[in-house]
Amino acid sequence: MKVTDHIQAAKGETLFSFEIIPPVKGKSIQELYGNIDPLMEFKPPFIDVTTSREEYVYLDRDGLLDKKLTRMRPGTLGICASITHKYNVDTVPHVLCGGFTKEETEYLLVDCHYLGIDNVMALRGDAMKEEKYFLATSGGHQFASDLVQQINDLNKGNYLHEVIETDNCANFCVGVAGYPEKHMEAPSLKSDLKRLKHKVDLGADYVVTQMFFDNKKYFEFVDEARKMGINVPIIPGIKPIAVKRHLQLLPQVFRVDIPEDLIDAVEGCKNNKEVRQVGVEWCIQQSKELKEAGVPVLHYYSMGKSDNIKAIAKEVF
């Protein structure tokens, strides 16, 4: 079932969803299940599964460092299939430009179609750790809009190297990212919204936002998006602060502002246990206000842990 179908079927009721990260190589999927299990009581209609791009590692070969490409968290598609089978819930695999050729993307989409996965999240992805700016993979896409175009083409039976006439075409529901405080590389919020409008015009069906800590920024973002003619569902993405280091890390990595009241509350904590509770309480208030405003879904970035997300959901759903 498509994300947009779930939203329509809810008839205005706010849905609960969350995002998980595949375990690193060598880890068991059981730990992942242990973090999903407590959240299933809130009946998520879909769960997002992230995809990591490749990164360089340096291996010691007889005293010489050998530079190799690897993926630390493979298995997105397998995890999606496993979650669907275990929990009878739809999954949304993230599909990236970075690290994948157009052919590899097509193979991934074909596999999703075989498995009955109806939703994908189309993202450009981040620059590699050693790159200052994002560089497209050789033979891959530079922009998320190009990725949306490829998915939409495949939905029509137009594959990269042939057109296939079939009664069993893919029919993916495509999600894309939106940035209430603009993408870090965009010169302005208006120009960033133009790029979002382009993705929607190419076939994106819904938007999930980057995290934010001030609901006013989300409401203003939605208003400006609607004025520009972006009429698809815009789902707020939310992340509770969990450790003191987030005060520096989140603005640095994601270019988001943290309200002064939240900064003061976190800085007044004696330890990260107290910080985690502050993050939960702030997120509860955020969630309640957003729910009262009638957002279609509250989408939580769990980062592999569920105790704080469960504490929030218990007060909101």
Side-chain angles (χ1 to χ4, degrees):
M1 193 168 173
K2 294 183 177 182
V3 167
T4 49
D5 291 337
H6 284 297
I7 293 171
Q8 187 173 4
K11 297 181 179 178
E13 181 182 348
T14 299
L15 301 171
F16 166 81
S17 73
F18 60 95
E19 182 174 300
I20 59 170
I21 301 173
V24 296
K25 290 185 292 189
K27 295 287 186 179
S28 168
I29 198 172
Q30 295 304 319
E31 183 179 350
L32 187 60
Y33 290 155
N35 282 301
I36 294 173
D37 287 344
L39 300 179
M40 295 310 295
E41 68 174 281
F42 307 108
K43 297 181 172 55
F46 61 90
I47 298 171
D48 275 45
V49 183
T50 67
T51 296
S52 64
R53 67 169 303 170
E54 80 282 22
E55 58 186 271
Y56 285 110
V57 295
Y58 293 87
L59 305 177
D60 190 339
R61 307 286 192 190
D62 298 324
L64 297 175
L65 291 180
D66 192 9
K67 186 177 180 181
K68 294 290 185 182
L69 272 176
T70 186
R71 278 194 173 87
M72 300 305 293
R73 296 178 183 269
T76 295
L77 194 56
I79 288 170
C80 284
S82 179
I83 290 172
T84 298
H85 175 74
K86 180 176 175 62
Y87 298 104
N88 192 28
V89 64
D90 286 312
T91 52
V92 185
H94 290 193
V95 182
L96 304 182
C97 297
F100 297 87
T101 66
K102 297 172 189 176
E103 281 78 11
E104 287 170 332
T105 296
E106 184 171 283
Y107 300 151
L108 173 64
L109 294 170
V110 169
D111 285 345
C112 286
H113 183 44
Y114 288 154
L115 291 169
I117 293 173
D118 296 323
N119 306 282
V120 292
M121 190 75 181
L123 304 166
R124 190 198 70 175
D126 298 324
M128 294 183 68
K129 291 179 180 178
E130 296 185 350
E131 297 172 351
K132 188 173 183 180
Y133 303 105
F134 178 86
L135 297 174
T137 299
S138 178
H141 294 301
Q142 176 71 37
F143 302 108
S145 55
D146 301 325
L147 184 53
V148 173
Q149 180 70 66
Q150 180 178 359
I151 298 167
N152 193 42
D153 285 345
L154 194 141
N155 281 346
K156 299 174 183 176
N158 298 327
Y159 291 74
L160 288 174
H161 305 303
E162 57 190 329
V163 176
I164 299 176
E165 294 185 10
T166 175
D167 294 328
N168 188 32
C169 273
N171 189 22
F172 292 112
C173 178
V174 184
V176 293
Y179 299 85
E181 298 172 69
K182 87 173 183 62
H183 190 278
M184 65 182 74
E185 296 173 18
S188 70
L189 180 58
K190 185 174 181 179
S191 67
D192 201 26
L193 281 167
K194 287 180 180 178
R195 294 175 184 175
L196 180 59
K197 176 70 161 53
H198 183 50
K199 290 187 283 189
V200 171
D201 289 344
L202 287 171
D205 297 289
Y206 68 98
V207 176
V208 180
T209 75
Q210 174 65 278
M211 71 181 75
F212 56 91
F213 297 93
D214 182 351
N215 286 350
K216 183 180 177 183
K217 300 202 181 228
Y218 168 80
F219 293 133
E220 291 175 347
F221 174 75
V222 173
D223 286 344
E224 292 302 314
R226 299 304 185 218
K227 289 176 187 176
M228 196 166 282
I230 300 170
N231 295 315
V232 299
I234 300 178
I235 296 170
I238 308 172
K239 174 181 171 57
I241 279 183
V243 294
K244 267 196 177 181
R245 187 165 173 259
H246 280 165
L247 291 184
Q248 289 75 43
L249 186 65
L250 297 181
Q252 178 184 3
V253 175
F254 299 101
R255 304 297 195 272
V256 295
D257 288 338
I258 298 177
E260 291 297 331
D261 288 350
L262 180 54
I263 294 171
D264 291 343
V266 171
E267 288 182 339
C269 293
K270 297 184 181 70
N271 51 53
N272 280 332
K273 183 178 180 181
E274 292 185 4
V275 172
R276 201 167 183 83
Q277 184 58 34
V278 166
V280 165
E281 291 172 2
W282 186 275
C283 201
I284 287 171
Q285 295 309 310
Q286 260 197 287
S287 299
K288 285 182 174 179
E289 184 181 24
L290 291 164
K291 188 179 180 185
E292 287 173 7
V295 300
V297 184
L298 285 169
H299 184 73
Y300 295 92
Y301 297 114
S302 73
M303 305 304 290
K305 300 294 182 182
S306 63
D307 60 313
N308 54 352
I309 306 299
K310 181 177 180 179
I312 295 160
K314 284 186 74 170
E315 296 297 322
V316 178
F317 292 93

